[in-house]
Amino acid sequence: MIKASRLFTPTAVISLLGLIILPLGLALLAFGQKLSGVTAAELHTFSHAPGLGAATLYSLALALLAPLLACYWALAFSARSSAKVVAWLSPLLSIPHLAFAVGMVFLFSPSGWIVRVLHEVSGAFAAPPDWALLPERSFITLLVVLILKEVPFLLLMIFSACSQLPIERYRQLGQSLGYSASASWWQLVVPELLRRLTLPMAAVMIYSLSVVDIPLLVGPNLPGVLAQEVFAWQRDFSLAAAVNGLLGSVLLLLLALGLLGVNRLHQPLYHWLLVRVWRHGWVLPRLLAWLGRGAMVVARIWLPLMFVLGLGVLLSLLVWSLAAGWFYPRWLPAGLNAEVWVREWPFVRPMIWTTLSLAIASACVALVAALACLEAQHKEGRVWPQWPMLLALLAPQLPLVMGWQYSFSFYQLTPHLGWVFWAHCVFAFPYAYLVLAGDYQRYDRRWLLVGQSLGYSPWRCWFTLLLPMLRRPVLYGWVIAFSVSVAQYLPTQLLGAGRIITLTTEAVNVSSGGDRQLLSFYALWQFILPLVALLAVTVYLALASRRHNA
Amino acid sequence: MLKLQQVKIARAGQTLLQVPELTVAPGKVGMIMGPSGSGKSTLLLWLLGQAPATFDIAGQLSLNDQDITQQEVSARRIGMLFQSSLLFPHMSVEQNLLFALPRRAPYQSCAARLARVETLLAAVALADKRKAMPDTLSGGEQARVALLRALINEPKALLLDEPFAALDQHRREEVRQWTFEQIAQWQIPALMVSHDLQDRPALAQQRGPLLSIGNAATHLVQE
């Protein structure tokens, strides 16, 4: 008879095979095969593709700037924050990037809500201004959206790392040596934090490099970022475009490798600079110090800012989806009606169903896989390095999905809901793992030992003791995995051959039609699903802890 | 009767601790003393059935003349008390005790189980804390509930890993005496790890053997 407690290791092995080794292996094999057929002429055509240089530059700049700015913003924010903030991060993490981007454009574009309100108040903008807070489509808009959405993820990682460090003692030590609280944060804590942030930062960089759906919506046009160009080639029918797509994704892979290298230099560089400062006894010029202090204050408005933005985004999507005739410069629509809701309901219903079932199922698989891996690590008695679990985040998504597509066509597999589901699991798993890992590894295993000494099997103890005690991170891990699945664009579109339509793929499709009302309707639904999942979990946890304290 | 024979703990080829023979009679408290890193906590974990994989441990453990060296933790029926109470934080005091109460006669009906828990709580003057959550209890109360949880399980032996170290001075004396009384009353052999000689039972009839682990050799005092 197999003991139930021995199920962890096989489950972990199956998870690693199915969610890490298979996806990466398939993609690598496919690229190997495809690349062997590329000729020098094709390489030449590719290197002269119009806009390639600019697209590459855009992509590199985006993949470096967004994560680094988000990183220092998050570090500045967490310098004075208590770990209580963590509770507020999940709602922000669960907002889908796409819906957020659409809402941001509705708010900040030249004809957006804010300019309209300004006009209403001052009468200054009878026509949409040439400048705007955020142009409808531009590199800056893309950058801002990515930064705002990457901060909560990095904050979660920072707080998780902080809970393993004696932060308070560092701070006291620094202050006893005459450093201010913020100086001891930046000079004592941050170098250590940056070391622990290497992996999450790598994931964020790779995401920024290969994200496609956000640039399709708000990114620059002609050329767009590299991932967007490659995606366009991939969807083109001509043979030349297909080859360009292949070579483009190889270029993405090379850039990704370069970025991983740069990322590894980040912490040593920071440290090296600090040592310079200590050795030479440099003091920040007064002006810079003032600026720095100002920046720290600004950084602290991030949390309220995000809540205001999140609500603003939700509201603008809702109002737009209900608006009847809302032309510039009116600051409110002429009327509200549910026409779009009524008309689109028969179309959106099956999409909600598809999105929901994919998200629920893949979040469950991701969670079970993450739990099995974490438990198996313990059984083996040593802590595995984290990067293998996160490989799906460390490989750019577009080449990965294209590799799968190549191998499916090679093995003559038809596009299928099953493949889309599998891909969602692959991408949801590392997030579930990341959200859970910190609390799981800190869990005091002596509780399980006490349970066993009272006569309960290890399996029973795991279920009745560990799982209920960790229900908060477990449930939030599930919600994050759920929202990652809801937000998946590329794998759904490419592996489903455009036939599997979720709220996300439909929102991107609709955006090319330029109908704001329709777009807001689908973006709103994409926003609502994770929000409902999160609310359900939060309410459940609140009720459970009320019962617990009663 | 708890009996250890020829126990040897080694790490990376180096012997840390050797116990040729040690026997603790029911109701008595044996004690192991030694500096930190001497392997005494590892010995307790091995007795419990969950030795860290990084140690090489050989030896024989028997309970009431039955060799249990190869048994799993949950089959051994040995209770353990740690320095912190380790009450399950998501269960009330009553639920912690119900969790530990064996599911066999005469504790099979709901009424009988609740009555048993209530009686025991009343006996240690904690009846009013029945519905309290562990984190609302004081350190001394937690220690009492933790011992009760171990005892209510009706273990065949009890291990104590520095059980009083986390308590403040005057509370410590009180909990200590109470613990030894309970152990004597329940007639369970107990083995305690500590580095405070004062933790040893004051009454001769509660005293088991004292094993002190020094740098040079292991020294055994049989009472």
Side-chain angles (χ1 to χ4, degrees):
Chain A
M1 195 185 84
I2 300 174
K3 287 217 173 118
S5 59
R6 308 243 159 91
L7 279 175
F8 285 114
T9 310
T11 313
V13 170
I14 292 170
S15 309
L16 294 183
L17 282 177
L19 298 180
I20 290 172
I21 305 208
L22 178 68
L24 292 176
L26 271 184
L28 277 179
L29 279 179
F31 271 101
Q33 239 156 23
K34 281 268 179 183
L35 277 178
S36 57
V38 173
T39 64
E42 285 169 333
L43 202 61
H44 184 260
T45 321
F46 170 71
S47 63
H48 288 78
L52 182 69
T56 310
L57 221 61
Y58 269 150
S59 282
L60 263 183
L62 189 67
L64 280 173
L65 281 177
L68 283 175
L69 290 173
C71 176
Y72 282 94
W73 193 346
L75 283 171
F77 177 79
S78 43
R80 297 265 177 89
S81 309
S82 73
K84 281 184 196 139
V85 178
V86 175
W88 297 102
L89 293 180
S90 304
L92 300 174
L93 267 174
S94 70
I95 302 177
H97 286 64
L98 193 79
F100 186 72
V102 174
M104 288 287 285
V105 166
F106 285 179
L107 286 175
F108 291 99
S109 73
S111 58
W113 215 350
I114 291 177
V115 171
R116 291 175 192 227
V117 170
L118 286 179
H119 173 71
E120 188 65 24
V121 177
S122 67
F125 308 111
D130 293 333
W131 59 268
L133 300 162
L134 288 180
E136 220 154 290
R137 304 186 58 107
S138 76
F139 181 74
I140 298 292
T141 313
L142 184 56
L143 184 65
V144 168
V145 167
L146 285 186
I147 291 175
L148 285 174
K149 275 297 292 170
E150 279 162 6
V151 172
F153 173 73
L154 289 172
L155 275 178
L156 189 73
M157 296 297 117
I158 288 174
F159 285 118
S160 161
C162 276
S163 65
Q164 293 162 16
L165 292 173
I167 297 291
E168 221 19 69
R169 236 176 301 155
Y170 273 127
R171 209 170 283 171
Q172 285 161 0
L173 189 72
Q175 277 168 332
S176 76
L177 292 173
Y179 287 88
S180 68
S182 82
S184 31
W185 171 260
W186 289 105
Q187 300 191 26
L188 292 174
V189 185
V190 168
E192 183 56 30
L193 276 182
L194 279 180
R195 211 168 55 76
R196 288 163 193 248
L197 281 179
T198 310
L199 264 179
M201 276 296 283
V204 173
M205 282 187 173
I206 300 302
Y207 173 82
S208 311
L209 175 72
S210 68
V211 59
V212 167
D213 47 354
I214 313 295
L216 277 179
L217 240 95
V218 299
N221 258 335
L222 296 174
V225 296
L226 183 59
Q228 196 181 337
E229 299 289 303
V230 173
F231 182 63
W233 280 322
Q234 179 67 6
R235 299 181 86 184
D236 203 323
F237 289 107
S238 74
L239 188 62
V243 174
N244 276 352
L246 173 71
L247 291 172
S249 59
V250 172
L251 181 56
L252 273 176
L253 278 174
L254 293 177
L255 291 179
L257 276 179
L259 282 171
L260 291 179
V262 170
N263 183 47
R264 281 201 75 95
L265 290 179
H266 180 193
Q267 194 272 344
L269 200 67
Y270 187 93
H271 188 77
W272 179 83
L273 263 173
L274 264 186
V275 173
R276 292 286 103 172
V277 169
W278 295 333
R279 187 177 293 169
H280 296 281
W282 285 336
V283 179
L284 273 185
R286 183 158 297 177
L287 180 68
L288 274 180
W290 274 107
L291 280 178
R293 221 160 295 163
M296 295 274 285
V297 172
V298 173
R300 299 202 32 83
I301 64 165
W302 176 81
L303 194 64
L305 176 75
M306 274 307 276
F307 269 90
V308 170
L309 282 182
L311 284 179
V313 161
L314 192 61
L315 198 65
S316 73
L317 292 178
L318 185 67
V319 173
W320 262 108
S321 75
L322 291 168
W326 193 5
F327 300 103
Y328 195 87
R330 301 193 51 137
W331 78 283
L332 278 179
L336 292 180
N337 64 40
E339 195 211 313
V340 172
W341 284 71
V342 173
R343 197 184 64 214
E344 292 298 318
W345 181 245
F347 302 107
V348 81
R349 211 177 41 188
M351 292 171 206
I352 295 176
W353 178 239
T354 313
T355 314
L356 255 184
S357 30
L358 272 173
I360 290 177
S362 53
C364 290
V365 170
L367 185 68
V368 169
L371 284 169
C373 286
L374 285 162
E375 185 62 29
Q377 290 182 25
H378 250 284
K379 285 269 153 14
E380 301 302 315
R382 51 182 166 236
V383 175
W384 298 350
Q386 259 193 347
W387 61 266
M389 315 294 158
L390 308 184
L391 272 176
L393 296 184
L394 298 181
Q397 197 183 37
L398 181 58
L400 204 56
V401 176
M402 278 169 64
W404 300 341
Q405 217 184 4
Y406 292 144
S407 32
F408 291 167
S409 69
F410 181 78
Y411 297 112
Q412 302 192 325
L413 300 168
T414 43
H416 192 275
L417 185 63
W419 292 118
V420 175
F421 166 59
W422 169 73
H424 280 217
C425 294
V426 168
F427 292 113
F429 164 69
Y431 285 102
Y433 180 88
L434 269 179
V435 172
L436 253 172
D439 285 302
Y440 203 96
Q441 283 159 354
R442 273 193 304 281
Y443 181 78
D444 190 343
R445 312 281 298 184
R446 289 180 308 171
W447 264 310
L448 299 179
L449 201 54
V450 168
Q452 286 177 51
S453 77
L454 294 175
Y456 290 89
S457 71
W459 180 251
R460 273 290 292 281
C461 291
W462 192 83
F463 256 98
T464 48
L465 302 178
L466 181 143
L467 218 46
M469 285 188 217
L470 289 181
R471 67 181 160 212
R472 181 173 290 273
V474 164
L475 286 176
Y476 279 125
W478 186 86
V479 169
I480 300 299
F482 177 96
S483 38
V484 167
S485 161
V486 169
Q488 288 304 317
Y489 173 69
L490 270 183
T492 321
Q493 185 72 15
L494 290 180
L495 299 184
R499 277 193 214 148
I500 289 162
I501 301 168
T502 62
L503 293 166
T504 302
T505 62
E506 190 63 6
V508 175
N509 287 347
V510 164
S511 77
S512 58
D515 183 337
R516 278 192 161 195
Q517 240 186 324
L518 213 53
L519 176 58
S520 60
F521 177 74
Y522 284 100
L524 183 64
W525 270 105
Q526 200 214 11
F527 198 127
I528 288 175
L529 287 194
L531 204 62
V532 169
L534 184 79
L535 270 179
V537 162
T538 310
V539 167
Y540 167 78
L541 284 174
L543 286 180
S545 82
R546 265 252 302 275
R547 203 175 54 219
H548 175 122
N549 290 328
Chain B
M1 183 98 79
L2 179 74
K3 191 171 179 184
L4 283 69
Q5 279 169 300
Q6 301 301 332
V7 177
K8 188 177 144 182
I9 299 182
R11 178 152 67 175
Q14 199 182 358
T15 305
L16 290 173
L17 191 155
Q18 247 174 329
V19 185
E21 193 179 309
L22 184 80
T23 310
V24 187
K28 301 213 172 198
V29 182
M31 188 163 164
I32 303 172
M33 282 190 59
S36 46
S38 57
K40 54 192 195 321
S41 287
T42 307
L43 176 67
L44 279 199
L45 286 177
W46 178 77
L47 295 174
L48 193 62
Q50 186 102 327
T54 44
F55 291 86
D56 296 314
I57 306 178
Q60 202 190 17
L61 168 66
S62 54
L63 250 178
N64 306 332
D65 299 322
Q66 192 194 349
D67 184 353
I68 58 163
T69 316
Q70 299 304 323
Q71 281 183 355
E72 300 244 340
V73 184
S74 53
R76 292 190 180 197
R77 310 308 308 271
I78 295 182
M80 177 99 166
L81 277 182
F82 293 93
Q83 196 181 98
S84 47
S85 73
L86 290 179
L87 293 173
F88 305 126
H90 61 307
M91 301 182 186
S92 65
V93 167
E94 182 181 63
Q95 287 163 353
N96 265 282
L97 296 177
L98 282 172
F99 183 79
L101 187 64
R103 277 148 221 246
R104 58 177 135 80
Y107 314 120
Q108 274 163 327
S109 77
C110 180
R113 296 177 69 80
L114 287 174
R116 173 74 173 157
V117 167
E118 207 166 343
T119 320
L120 285 175
L121 277 174
V124 300
L126 282 173
D128 57 325
K129 299 288 182 189
R130 202 159 55 93
K131 297 281 179 201
M133 297 311 285
D135 53 5
T136 62
L137 300 182
S138 72
E141 287 167 340
Q142 287 189 14
R144 276 186 280 168
V145 177
L147 179 64
L148 212 52
R149 183 180 65 180
L151 293 174
I152 201 175
N153 193 240
E154 299 180 4
K156 295 177 183 158
L158 193 60
L159 306 173
L160 307 118
D161 191 359
E162 309 225 11
F164 315 120
L167 300 170
D168 54 60
Q169 199 61 50
H170 71 281
R171 179 81 63 202
R172 189 181 301 180
E173 188 46 43
E174 186 188 317
V175 174
R176 189 152 52 198
Q177 271 184 23
W178 181 79
T179 303
F180 298 147
E181 273 164 30
Q182 293 290 323
I183 288 169
Q185 203 180 328
W186 289 67
Q187 282 297 300
I188 294 169
L191 194 57
M192 172 169 61
V193 153
S194 172
H195 48 238
D196 187 355
L197 196 57
Q198 290 203 326
D199 280 346
R200 205 160 183 232
L203 298 173
Q205 70 264 31
Q206 291 172 350
R207 279 189 184 175
L210 169 69
L211 181 76
S212 52
I213 307 160
N215 291 330
T218 311
H219 182 65
L220 183 68
V221 182
Q222 284 283 4
E223 287 274 331

